[in-house]
């Protein structure tokens, strides 16, 4: 029996040693695989970074050449015109691009690339209408320095709990200083409001009442539970 036990122990030790050797070999192989994968990832990242850098250089060079071409041709904006306010703090402007040669095939690109000064700030067109070389119209949405487009909420009113046990309270405001010609619903939805330590980008619900526009909010309130 002692000899049998001794042989069994030897076999167990041999299997443990073999298993340890296999584990060590597996770990070495995995380390090598991970090392190669990391090298490949780094190589791909470096290649991608070089491609992005080259792409950006190409864009900058193309923009530089186009700018020089626009200046040489004296392509510029004329007849700037302001339009009614289109949303909170924002007015639309248009202008016409002139000196565009009849055979110039990048009219829209020029329209989008050449900035215009409005209130002393340079803007690039949001979109363009191409009706031919002498009728290229740019459109801008200007959301700075437009106080006449700034509506505000007035006459805060607490309407009480939405219903018993709802955990919600209703708040109402009157929308003041809506610009002439402005879309009341649009201004109601985009005029910021702050109350009870909360800030909203516009009313949750808009409705007309007594020849005016009102906004309403439903907020959480534990006192309404």
């Amino acid at each position: 029996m002692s000899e049998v036990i001794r042989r069994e122990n030897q076999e167990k030790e041999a299997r443990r040693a073999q298993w340890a050797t296999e584990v060590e070999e597996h770990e070495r192989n995995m380390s090598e695989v991970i090392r190669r994968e990391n090298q490949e990832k780094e190589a791909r990242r470096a290649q991608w970074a070089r491609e992005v850098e080259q792409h950006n250089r190409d864009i900058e060079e193309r923009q530089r050449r186009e700018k020089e071409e626009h200046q040489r041709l004296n392509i510029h904006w004329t007849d700037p015109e302001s339009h009614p306010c289109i949303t909170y703090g924002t007015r639309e402007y248009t202008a016409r691009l002139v000196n565009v040669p009849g055979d110039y095939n990048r009219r829209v690109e020029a329209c989008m690339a050449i900035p215009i000064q409005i209130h002393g700030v340079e803007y690039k067109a949001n979109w363009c209408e191409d009706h031919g070389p002498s009728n290229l119209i740019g459109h801008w949405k200007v959301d700075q320095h437009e106080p006449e487009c700034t509506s505000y909420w007035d006459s805060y009113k607490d309407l009480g709990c939405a219903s018993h046990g709802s955990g919600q309270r209703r708040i109402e405001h009157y929308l003041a200083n809506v610009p002439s010609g402005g879309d009341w619903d649009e201004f109601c939805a985009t005029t910021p409001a702050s109350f009870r330590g909360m800030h909203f980008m516009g009313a949750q619900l808009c409705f007309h009442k007594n020849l005016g526009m009102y906004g309403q909010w439903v907020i959480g309130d534990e006192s309404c539970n």
Side-chain angles (χ1 to χ4, degrees):
M1 287 297 296
S2 298
E3 180 62 21
V4 170
I5 293 171
R6 185 182 66 80
R7 285 200 299 272
E8 288 179 348
N9 288 338
Q10 284 180 336
E11 291 173 357
K12 288 180 180 178
E13 287 297 325
R15 286 196 296 273
R16 277 197 289 267
Q18 178 64 25
W19 179 80
T21 300
E22 291 175 354
V23 168
E24 184 178 356
E25 179 65 21
H26 175 72
E27 290 177 347
R28 282 199 301 269
N29 290 338
M30 287 301 298
S31 297
E32 179 61 21
V33 169
I34 292 172
R35 185 187 66 81
R36 287 199 300 268
E37 288 179 348
N38 288 336
Q39 283 182 333
E40 291 173 359
K41 288 179 181 177
E42 286 299 324
R44 287 195 297 269
R45 276 197 289 265
Q47 177 65 23
W48 178 80
R50 288 193 295 270
E51 290 175 356
V52 168
E53 184 178 359
Q54 182 61 48
H55 177 70
N56 290 337
R57 283 199 299 266
D58 291 343
I59 291 176
E60 290 175 358
E61 176 61 21
R62 177 174 58 81
Q63 290 176 340
R64 184 190 64 79
R65 290 196 305 268
E66 288 178 350
K67 184 177 180 180
E68 290 178 350
E69 184 177 36
H70 299 156
Q71 291 174 340
R72 177 177 60 80
L73 296 172
N74 192 28
I75 301 175
H76 63 277
W77 294 107
T78 189
D79 304 326
E81 183 178 352
S82 64
H83 297 273
C85 304
I86 55 177
T87 189
Y88 173 80
T90 304
R91 186 186 298 278
E92 183 181 356
Y93 287 80
T94 59
R96 188 165 57 91
L97 199 62
V98 296
N99 285 354
V100 183
D103 59 350
Y104 195 72
N105 60 3
R106 295 192 303 278
R107 293 194 296 269
V108 174
E109 289 88 340
C111 176
M112 297 295 293
I114 298 175
I116 191 173
Q117 275 207 2
I118 302 174
H119 306 314
V121 179
E122 284 195 345
Y123 296 92
K124 291 184 178 180
N126 295 104
W127 75 92
C128 297
E129 294 180 83
D130 185 2
H131 302 293
S134 60
N135 194 14
L136 194 66
I137 307 299
H139 295 256
W140 293 262
K141 292 181 178 180
V142 177
D143 58 359
Q144 300 180 68
H145 312 296
E146 295 292 346
E148 293 180 0
C149 300
T150 307
S151 49
Y152 62 90
W153 295 105
D154 198 5
S155 303
Y156 173 92
K157 187 175 182 180
D158 186 341
L159 300 179
C161 298
S163 62
H164 180 70
S166 65
Q168 295 180 323
R169 182 175 297 277
R170 293 183 302 146
I171 304 298
E172 185 177 283
H173 274 101
Y174 168 72
L175 185 61
N177 200 43
V178 179
S180 176
D183 184 329
W184 286 24
D185 291 296
E186 175 67 22
F187 277 83
C188 178
T190 60
T191 299
S194 296
F195 52 85
R196 289 182 169 237
M198 294 176 289
H199 183 73
F200 302 88
M201 296 307 296
Q204 295 172 346
L205 174 67
C206 299
F207 57 93
H208 296 267
K209 184 176 71 173
N210 300 329
L211 302 179
M213 173 62 74
Y214 289 78
Q216 197 172 105
W217 294 258
V218 178
I219 62 174
D221 190 335
E222 293 182 357
S223 67
C224 292
N225 288 327

